[in-house]
Amino acid sequence: MDLTPLRQHPNLLSTRNRVSAKLSRGLCCGLLALGMIDAAPTPVQAEEPVAYTVSFKTDGDPTIVSLLEQTSLTFREQDQPSPSRILLDSRAMEDRRRLLNALRAHGFFAATVSHATDPAQSQTINAGDSSSMDTVQEPTPTRLTFVVDSGPRYTLRNCIVEPRKEVRPGSYTPPTAADLGLLRGQPADSKRVVAADKALLRHAQTHGQPFATLLPRRVIVDHATRTMDVTLRLQPGDTARLGPTTWSGLETVKPVFAQKQLLWQEGDSYDQEVQERSRNALLKTGLFAMVDLRHPEAVEADGSLPVTIAVQERLQRSFSFGAGMTTDQGPKATLGWEHRNLWGEGEDLATQVDYGRVHKRFKGNLGKPDFGRKDQSLLFEFITESEEVEAYRKKSVALQGGLERKYAKELRLSLGLSYRLVELYQGNSSVPDGTGTFGLVSLPFKATLDHSDDLLNPTQGWRLNAFLAPFLDTLENGHSFTKFQAQVTGYKPVSTAPHLVLAGRIKAGMLVGSELSGVPTDERYYTGGNGSIRGYAYQLAGPLDSNGKPLGGCSLLESSVEARVEVQKSVEVVFFLDEGAAIKRPFPDFSDRPYFGAGSGIRYLTPIGPLRLDVAVPLDRRPGIDQGYQIAASIGQAF
């Protein structure tokens, strides 16, 4: 083809090239568009959650199975489906490492762990009514199985304690490994080794070594002999004797009283446990908000270690206020005032006024701590009160003095001498026995044993309160009798989700040495009302006269059970059942008719104790005597 004419007309050639380029670009864009349409991915459907179950295939040792179940995260969360199979497999791989570490920590150093996942299988189930015979396919959960070969359990072989620093002869002798609980042939349990390490440091710190430190322990596992060697390493430091004590922050508390709380003397060997107990003793006086024991960072040249005690005193005076209400007794209020350091040595003066429709009382208490010896207090109490109830009307004044001693942490015993002058008038009861003027001398003995976890709102543990006192009337009647009463309460946490605590109470009392007619009416036993058998009015769950008025009894039996369920933070719902009766005979038995009350309530937990509201009904309602329900509101749990 001859292109000469085109070369002679360059504009024509340029125009044809532009047209060709446009056609090429258009064709390419079209092909690209078609390619993009053809290559567009189809929508990916989200993978549904995978329900699964977990099992362990082992040699059948229940101890191993229990350890695996406690360690496995997939086992604890198997009620929550996994978002995908990939994530489930990833969780299983993490669990394998977790299970291996747990087995090795218990001495199974040759253990192996693998897992297998069986895919979910579909099962056919009927849906709808039987006539339609519709069916749906429902997958069974995926089975995740951990195959565990624990292997032999390794044992301890050579266990030694190695002091790092040369210790001066006679200054400090570290314990042996056997003293710390590491014995040849024991399972090679890491918890046992860690506990021995901590015990070694504690031993040094309680035997004159304030600056003792632990060095990294050496552990050698011998797979050939299936044993483990352990070397505990200690750097004792310098031996110290306690030097002089310096106080800072004392304002109203006398130094001589604060010094009495310390459990060491200058020159004693340093003992960290004694230091901690002394700090707690200072805090338990109730006079200090903060106690900090300090000492230099090195022992003095003469081997002494001075101690500086920095304290911050609490406010020594305080007011308190309380209020409550019950259906049978109406509203009541309480006002209190306390001075915790009257003369500078922890003397406690407390006064309280209770005012209600049927009961009015003023009470004053004075306590002198460390009287005669450590952990012994001299106590005085003054009470004047009046009360008007169905069984009696009274006015009384009482004065009591005695000693209280603390034994260990939980036990308190007290013995006192009391004199009470009381005038008792016939109430609405038609029986006048037990009324008149009495001058009662008594020797009250009290015992309190508290193994509960909290004073205001216990959730576990138990308590025992017992009272025993012989009485003698010094006025014209001259009657004598002995009164005994004991109560045991227990608390047991049952579950954490929801938080459920079961609480129980058993109370018994006896009056011996006199007939019922010789016992003042206000010293007799009565049951019924808030804190007793809820659902019945105050004192009405017991013997009554022909007019339905309480007579009281010479013995008492009560029991209660509560289920306390936390429904929200700081809010509890309570269900309870109370049972018991006051009995005319001096020895309680089960031949008399018991009274049952049941109900529910709500608790709002506060730093000063639970705010309580209970509604109870009598299960054996007596027409004309018992109301249909009783309501009680107060501060504190029922028991």
Side-chain angles (χ1 to χ4, degrees):
M1 181 178 178
D2 186 6
L3 298 178
T4 302
L6 293 177
R7 295 191 185 100
Q8 293 175 351
H9 300 278
N11 292 335
L12 179 61
L13 180 61
S14 176
T15 300
R16 294 186 62 179
N17 289 341
R18 287 196 296 269
V19 171
S20 176
K22 290 181 179 179
L23 290 174
S24 298
R25 285 196 297 269
L27 180 60
C28 291
C29 290
L31 292 174
L32 180 61
L34 289 174
M36 290 177 64
I37 293 174
D38 291 341
T42 57
V44 178
Q45 295 183 350
E47 187 173 354
E48 294 185 357
V50 179
Y52 67 95
T53 60
V54 178
S55 62
F56 300 95
K57 185 177 180 181
T58 67
D59 56 5
D61 186 346
T63 304
I64 297 294
V65 175
S66 176
L67 172 64
L68 299 175
E69 291 178 348
Q70 294 174 13
T71 305
S72 171
L73 186 60
T74 54
F75 179 82
R76 296 199 303 268
E77 296 182 352
Q78 60 183 319
D79 58 335
Q80 305 173 15
S82 174
S84 68
R85 294 186 181 279
I86 295 177
L87 187 55
L88 176 60
D89 191 65
S90 176
R91 289 179 178 178
M93 291 297 295
E94 293 177 1
D95 249 1
R96 285 171 58 174
R97 291 189 290 270
R98 193 177 290 113
L99 295 173
L100 272 177
N101 290 334
L103 289 166
R104 290 167 181 168
H106 285 75
F108 298 98
F109 290 99
T112 61
V113 179
S114 61
H115 78 278
T117 304
D118 295 335
Q121 304 292 329
S122 296
Q123 62 176 352
T124 302
I125 60 173
N126 292 329
D129 57 23
S130 58
S131 61
S132 66
M133 296 301 292
D134 292 334
T135 62
V136 298
Q137 297 292 321
E138 181 176 286
T140 60
T142 297
R143 294 188 298 271
L144 173 60
T145 304
F146 288 97
V147 181
V148 179
D149 181 3
S150 60
R153 193 172 194 180
Y154 288 32
T155 59
L156 297 176
R157 184 173 58 183
N158 298 321
C159 302
I160 62 174
V161 175
E162 177 185 278
R164 181 70 174 175
K165 179 182 176 182
E166 189 68 26
V167 182
R168 295 188 302 272
S171 59
Y172 172 68
T173 302
T176 65
D179 295 333
L180 300 173
L182 297 181
L183 302 175
R184 188 183 185 94
Q186 285 181 330
D189 191 326
S190 63
K191 289 184 178 180
R192 181 180 285 108
V193 176
V194 172
D197 226 2
K198 293 180 179 179
L200 174 60
L201 180 61
R202 190 68 173 176
H203 183 276
Q205 292 174 339
T206 55
H207 288 77
Q209 312 299 311
F211 304 107
T213 57
L214 289 175
L215 299 174
R217 56 183 173 269
R218 287 196 297 265
V219 177
I220 300 175
V221 176
D222 188 342
H223 292 282
T225 60
R226 298 172 180 173
T227 59
M228 184 172 75
D229 297 336
V230 178
T231 301
L232 305 182
R233 305 165 67 212
L234 174 75
Q235 185 168 331
D238 294 324
T239 301
R241 294 176 292 100
L242 291 172
T245 300
T246 304
W247 294 85
S248 66
L250 292 179
E251 297 178 3
T252 63
V253 179
K254 294 180 180 179
V256 63
F257 175 74
Q259 192 74 26
K260 287 181 181 179
Q261 310 309 310
L262 304 182
L263 304 179
W264 78 81
Q265 300 291 333
E266 185 175 345
D268 288 352
S269 177
Y270 177 87
D271 187 330
Q272 182 170 310
E273 183 175 331
V274 172
Q275 300 263 307
E276 295 169 357
R277 288 166 50 202
S278 297
R279 178 181 179 275
N280 291 335
L282 287 166
L283 290 172
K284 286 181 179 178
T285 63
L287 303 177
F288 303 106
M290 183 274 293
V291 177
D292 186 18
L293 277 65
R294 308 167 185 168
H295 52 68
E297 296 183 357
V299 178
E300 300 290 331
D302 61 354
S304 66
L305 188 69
V307 181
T308 299
I309 303 179
V311 300
Q312 179 182 342
E313 294 187 4
R314 292 178 57 193
L315 295 176
Q316 308 301 344
R317 299 173 180 84
S318 63
F319 287 93
S320 62
F321 175 78
M325 185 278 297
T326 59
T327 305
D328 51 354
Q329 298 188 64
K332 61 179 180 181
T334 299
L335 180 65
W337 176 85
E338 183 180 15
H339 193 312
R340 287 178 286 272
N341 191 33
L342 191 61
W343 298 306
E345 295 191 20
E347 301 88 356
D348 187 271
L349 176 63
T351 60
Q352 180 175 308
V353 177
D354 301 321
Y355 190 87
R357 188 180 68 190
V358 300
H359 186 218
K360 302 171 181 64
R361 181 178 68 169
F362 171 82
K363 180 174 70 171
N365 295 88
L366 176 63
K368 168 67 176 174
D370 297 339
F371 181 78
R373 56 166 287 168
K374 184 71 174 173
D375 293 331
Q376 180 170 274
S377 299
L378 177 64
L379 304 177
F380 294 99
E381 183 177 72
F382 173 79
I383 297 177
T384 178
E385 62 183 331
S386 66
E387 187 176 17
E388 294 186 10
V389 292
E390 294 285 352
Y392 55 80
R393 293 181 294 120
K394 78 171 182 181
K395 294 180 179 180
S396 69
V397 59
L399 180 63
Q400 178 177 312
L403 295 174
E404 180 184 73
R405 185 177 297 180
K406 301 176 185 178
Y407 292 88
K409 180 182 178 181
E410 302 87 3
L411 178 61
R412 291 192 178 197
L413 302 178
S414 66
L415 179 64
L417 175 63
S418 175
Y419 185 81
R420 188 166 73 99
L421 182 64
V422 56
E423 292 183 352
L424 289 164
Y425 305 94
Q426 180 179 340
N428 293 327
S429 173
S430 61
V431 180
D433 294 337
T435 61
T437 301
F438 300 86
L440 299 174
V441 176
S442 63
L443 294 172
F445 170 78
K446 297 179 183 179
T448 302
L449 188 57
D450 191 345
H451 282 272
S452 63
D453 62 337
D454 189 270
L455 178 64
L456 300 176
N457 184 34
T459 58
Q460 63 181 1
W462 57 276
R463 296 173 179 171
L464 168 65
N465 293 283
F467 170 83
L468 175 67
F471 287 82
L472 174 65
D473 179 20
T474 61
L475 299 183
E476 57 186 41
N477 294 322
H479 292 294
S480 64
F481 57 93
T482 299
K483 190 172 186 178
F484 169 77
Q485 181 174 299
Q487 176 172 279
V488 178
T489 57
Y491 315 92
K492 176 67 175 179
V494 177
S495 66
T496 56
H499 188 262
L500 170 63
V501 175
L502 293 182
R505 175 182 72 98
I506 298 176
K507 182 178 181 181
M510 295 186 296
L511 283 169
V512 296
S514 177
E515 297 293 333
L516 183 64
S517 59
V519 179
T521 51
D522 69 333
E523 290 289 353
R524 299 174 183 177
Y525 287 114
Y526 300 89
T527 54
N530 184 33
S532 176
I533 305 176
R534 289 163 284 187
Y536 296 89
Y538 184 57
Q539 297 183 340
L540 285 185
L544 305 177
D545 65 8
S546 57
N547 297 319
K549 307 304 179 182
L551 298 174
C554 282
S555 60
L556 164 83
L557 274 178
E558 288 182 355
S559 62
S560 301
V561 62
E562 285 192 350
R564 303 170 181 173
V565 185
E566 186 178 65
V567 294
Q568 290 183 2
K569 185 178 181 180
S570 301
V571 178
E572 286 182 345
V573 172
V574 176
F575 304 93
F576 56 83
L577 175 67
D578 301 332
E579 177 272 339
I583 305 166
K584 290 184 178 181
R585 294 180 300 280
F587 296 98
D589 55 36
F590 298 96
S591 61
D592 287 80
R593 171 191 175 184
Y595 295 85
F596 291 87
S600 62
I602 190 168
R603 311 284 187 266
Y604 182 74
L605 308 182
T606 72
I608 62 173
L611 304 182
R612 176 166 66 101
L613 176 65
D614 285 339
V615 179
V617 297
L619 299 185
D620 300 300
R621 185 181 178 187
R622 297 161 294 183
I625 299 176
D626 300 318
Q627 297 182 11
Y629 62 91
Q630 295 285 331
I631 299 175
S634 63
I635 299 177
Q637 295 283 12
F639 55 89

